């Protein structure tokens, strides 16, 4: 009951309120609650009200609440449909970041990810797995000819960027590469988007 | 390579138009007599063409070229590790997640909008744009971008006085670029590219993509963003190419509209 009132009060929609008021004027004398199954008359009145919807169209109790909420839902849907695609598809950078796979993954150490080979230099495979940098792995001895440009491979990450602070330096020196261990091919499994 | 860079002589902008005027005035008996009122009218129209884009905030509608989601999908928000951070980039960072700096894409979007708008205006006014990047991984991409939009690129070793001593390198009347766009402001030894400082010395405005380990202070229009991932650099190249082409097309359209240029045969 209390939540019902809160929902109705938060909707600053005059027409909805007026329709509610016109609907409930018959059933509810006092201002706080809009729908009430409690009648001063007792049971006979309840029974009367419950049978009334089929006659007069007025509902009470769960039926009325269901109608009111589905009404609200419909209004919300039409409102979102009317908005331009720009405002609807716009989610903030903070939420994009929070739900991104990179952040959801957590610390990169020993995480298994799927990468794609984008460059091959003899025995070196350059694998891009969706982070800032790629990693370079040696071509494995098992099935070496299957590792070509475009192959999807599984990796166990060690580090997203290989950096280290050397003695006497002001900033870290970076190798512009990630570090990962090549586990093997994807083997026909569903490639997950990164 | 150096010769390819700056080979324009004096007076790039005005000459083609006046030449066209001279050719189309075959109706007049003595071209010399009636030349002055026609050129005066031309000057007025040129002024109008040049001043019209300055009246609106986004004349070339560049805000529709990218969204924050596009930047996010191109991994523009990923920075280097905390230890590589340049302290001057701190205002542009959203935060640091597990030692990796994250660049604030809301700020990036604003700065990118400003940078693209400026680039478009320079291209509209017939300015020379020079794309610079010393990242060997993207050298070919940057050169292709420049050639596709009819501008210039320099992705090789930058000799000492290219901008500051252009008269010695290229000849007495060398025209310097009107805008230098850095796809990466660092050189191969992780120091700021000499071109940033030299352009500032020669009063040439610069647009630069600054990563979390770069120094944004001398760049006129810094764009905080990732400069290491191919996806991000391809996005920047695509945006700059689209901007320059759009601006040049708009200029041609305006000139046709005001009857300055004879319409090209289709």
């Amino acid at each position: 009951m209390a939540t019902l009132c809160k929902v109705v009060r938060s909707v600053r929609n005059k027409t909805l309120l007026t329709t509610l008021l016109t609907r409930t004027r018959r059933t509810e004398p006092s201002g706080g609650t809009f729908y009430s199954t409690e009648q001063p008359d007792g049971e006979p009145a309840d029974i009367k009200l419950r049978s009334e919807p089929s006659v007069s169209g007025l509902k009470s109790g769960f039926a009325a609440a269901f109608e009111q909420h589905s009404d609200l839902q419909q209004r919300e849907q039409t409102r979102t449909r009317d908005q331009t695609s720009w405002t609807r598809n716009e989610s903030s950078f903070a939420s994009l970041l929070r739900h991104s796979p990179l952040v959801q993954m957590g610390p990169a150490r020993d995480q298994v990810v799927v990468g794609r080979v984008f460059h091959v230099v003899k025995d070196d495979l350059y694998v891009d797995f969706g982070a800032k940098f790629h990693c370079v792995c040696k071509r494995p001895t098992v099935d070496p000819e299957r590792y070509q440009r475009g192959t999807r491979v599984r990796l166990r990450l060690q580090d997203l960027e290989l950096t280290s602070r050397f003695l006497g330096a002001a900033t870290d020196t970076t190798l512009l590469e990630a570090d990962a261990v090549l586990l093997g091919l994807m083997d026909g499994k569903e490639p997950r988007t990164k | 390579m150096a010769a390819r860079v700056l080979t324009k002589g004096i007076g790039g902008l005005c000459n083609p138009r006046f030449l066209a005027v001279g050719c189309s005035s075959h109706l007049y008996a003595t071209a010399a007599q009636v030349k002055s009122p026609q050129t005066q009218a031309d000057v007025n129209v040129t002024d109008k063409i040049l001043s019209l884009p300055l009246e609106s905030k986004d004349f070339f509608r560049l805000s529709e070229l990218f969204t924050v989601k596009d930047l996010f999908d191109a991994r523009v928000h990923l920075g280097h590790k905390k230890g590589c951070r340049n302290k001057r980039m701190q205002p542009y960072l959203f935060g640091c997640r597990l030692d990796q700096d994250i660049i604030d894409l809301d700020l990036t979007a604003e700065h990118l909008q400003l940078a693209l708008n400026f680039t478009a205006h320079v291209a509209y006014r017939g300015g020379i744009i020079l794309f610079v990047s010393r990242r060997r991984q993207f050298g070919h991409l940057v050169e292709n971008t420049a050639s596709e939009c009819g501008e210039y690129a320099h992705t090789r070793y930058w000799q000492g006085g290219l901008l500051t001593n252009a008269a010695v390198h290229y000849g007495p009347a060398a025209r310097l670029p009107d805008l230098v766009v850095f796809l990466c402001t660092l050189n191969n030894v992780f120091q700021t590219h000499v071109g940033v400082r030299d352009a500032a010395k020669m009063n040439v405005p610069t647009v630069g993509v600054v990563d979390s380990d770069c120094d944004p202070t001398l760049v006129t229009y810094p764009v905080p963003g990732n400069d290491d991932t191919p996806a991000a650099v391809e996005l920047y190249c695509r945006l700059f190419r689209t901007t320059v082409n759009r601006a040049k097309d708009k200029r041609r359209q305006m000139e046709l509209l005001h009857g300055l240029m004879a319409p090209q045969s289709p």
Side-chain angles (χ1 to χ4, degrees):
Chain A
M1 193 56 69
T3 47
L4 218 75
C5 302
K6 271 191 227 156
V7 163
V8 175
R9 258 191 240 119
S10 68
V11 171
R12 294 202 184 116
N13 194 331
K14 258 191 194 169
T15 51
L16 179 62
L17 280 174
T18 47
T19 47
L20 278 174
L21 286 169
T22 48
R23 258 197 229 155
T24 59
R25 205 166 285 140
R26 270 202 52 187
T27 54
E28 184 50 58
S30 61
T33 51
F34 284 86
Y35 290 101
S36 172
T37 49
E38 290 163 7
Q39 289 297 313
D41 300 333
E43 283 212 81
D46 280 354
I47 295 163
K48 223 192 295 172
L49 280 170
R50 260 183 249 124
S51 61
E52 269 183 80
S54 52
V55 179
S56 66
L58 278 177
K59 294 179 190 159
S60 69
F62 175 72
F66 179 78
E67 209 177 280
Q68 179 205 331
H69 278 280
S70 54
D71 206 18
L72 282 172
Q73 230 177 18
Q74 273 170 20
R75 277 166 203 271
E76 201 51 51
Q77 276 170 7
T78 47
R79 204 180 301 132
T80 48
R81 243 182 281 127
D82 288 336
Q83 274 177 353
T84 59
S85 61
W86 179 83
T87 44
R88 189 151 41 105
N89 295 333
E90 185 85 358
S91 51
S92 73
F93 166 60
S95 71
L96 278 175
L97 183 71
R98 193 156 59 91
H99 297 292
S100 70
L102 202 71
V103 167
Q104 293 291 317
M105 176 177 79
R109 191 120 206 136
D110 298 326
Q111 288 280 354
V112 178
V113 297
V114 175
R116 191 182 52 86
V117 176
F118 70 94
H119 194 237
V120 177
V121 176
K122 289 187 195 170
D123 271 347
D124 294 326
L125 307 170
Y126 290 71
V127 186
D128 171 35
F129 53 90
K132 184 172 164 85
F133 295 106
H134 57 270
C135 66
V136 185
C137 305
K138 273 270 179 274
R139 195 192 285 265
T141 44
V142 177
D143 280 340
E145 69 286 340
R146 288 183 70 180
Y147 294 90
Q148 302 302 335
R149 201 181 274 206
T151 317
R152 297 198 86 89
V153 293
R154 282 185 315 127
L155 304 163
R156 176 173 289 122
L157 294 183
Q158 300 302 318
D159 203 352
L160 285 180
E161 185 181 349
L162 286 169
T163 57
S164 187
R165 180 72 58 100
F166 288 93
L167 272 178
T171 56
D172 280 8
T173 309
T174 169
L175 275 182
L176 303 180
E177 246 179 53
D179 187 20
V181 174
L182 188 63
L183 295 176
L185 292 164
M186 262 302 285
D187 275 337
K189 287 187 197 149
E190 268 307 311
R192 266 180 299 160
T193 53
K194 193 78 179 112
Chain B
M1 186 58 214
R4 210 176 111 196
V5 175
L6 298 166
T7 51
K8 273 202 176 183
I10 310 167
L13 155 57
C14 298
N15 281 342
R17 217 165 301 112
F18 288 123
L19 276 171
V21 163
C23 292
S24 65
S25 62
H26 59 279
L27 299 164
Y28 300 93
T30 44
Q33 274 181 356
V34 287
K35 202 178 169 187
S36 17
Q38 202 164 25
T39 50
Q40 183 56 41
D42 269 343
V43 164
N44 289 340
V45 173
T46 313
D47 282 345
K48 189 175 161 200
I49 290 178
L50 290 178
S51 63
L52 189 65
L54 300 174
E55 285 158 24
S56 40
K57 201 172 172 191
D58 193 9
F59 184 73
F60 302 99
R61 293 197 326 268
L62 300 166
S63 49
E64 63 193 33
L65 285 182
F66 66 95
T67 59
V68 170
K69 182 87 170 62
D70 292 336
L71 297 178
F72 188 86
D73 291 335
R75 311 179 221 165
V76 167
H77 60 293
L78 298 175
H80 286 267
K81 286 276 166 103
K82 191 169 67 176
C84 300
R85 188 195 305 171
N86 188 313
K87 64 177 195 291
R88 300 234 162 96
M89 283 299 291
Q90 195 266 329
Y92 301 117
L93 296 180
F94 183 74
C96 189
R97 158 89 180 167
L98 294 168
D99 271 1
Q100 183 177 26
D101 287 334
I102 306 289
I103 295 167
D104 192 349
L105 282 190
D106 297 325
L107 289 179
T108 301
E110 285 171 24
H111 283 80
L112 187 58
Q113 171 67 30
L114 291 173
L116 289 177
N117 191 37
F118 185 75
T119 313
H121 280 270
V122 169
Y124 181 87
R125 299 165 98 82
I128 295 180
I129 299 174
L130 182 67
F131 291 91
V132 175
S133 170
R134 199 60 183 99
R135 290 296 299 267
R136 282 178 275 226
Q137 192 179 3
F138 309 121
H140 186 66
L141 174 66
V142 171
E143 287 177 358
N144 281 350
T145 306
S147 70
E148 276 163 23
C149 55
E151 296 297 339
Y152 304 84
H154 187 103
T155 56
R156 309 299 162 98
Y157 177 71
W158 182 280
Q159 286 172 338
L162 280 188
L163 289 181
T164 46
N165 206 7
V168 165
H169 281 267
Y170 300 110
R175 181 176 160 187
L176 292 181
D178 298 301
L179 173 67
V180 182
V181 178
F182 288 92
L183 275 308
C184 175
T185 47
L186 297 182
N187 59 18
N188 287 332
V189 274
F190 302 101
Q191 292 164 350
T192 313
H193 199 288
V194 169
V196 174
R197 192 198 65 197
D198 284 357
K201 278 187 187 175
M202 302 305 292
N203 283 337
V204 173
T206 46
V207 164
V209 177
V210 283
D211 205 344
S212 66
D213 57 349
C214 303
D215 187 357
T217 45
L218 279 181
V219 181
T220 324
Y221 290 91
V223 178
N226 187 5
D227 60 5
D228 298 300
T229 311
V233 178
E234 277 165 18
L235 175 80
Y236 301 136
C237 287
R238 184 173 56 81
L239 287 175
F240 280 112
R241 186 178 61 236
T242 315
T243 312
V244 172
N245 284 333
R246 204 181 257 209
K248 288 185 174 175
D249 289 340
K250 192 79 187 176
R251 179 59 185 262
R252 253 173 272 146
Q253 195 185 40
M254 294 286 272
E255 287 182 348
L256 277 174
L257 215 64
H258 292 95
L260 274 183
M261 221 167 72
Q264 307 276 325
S265 55

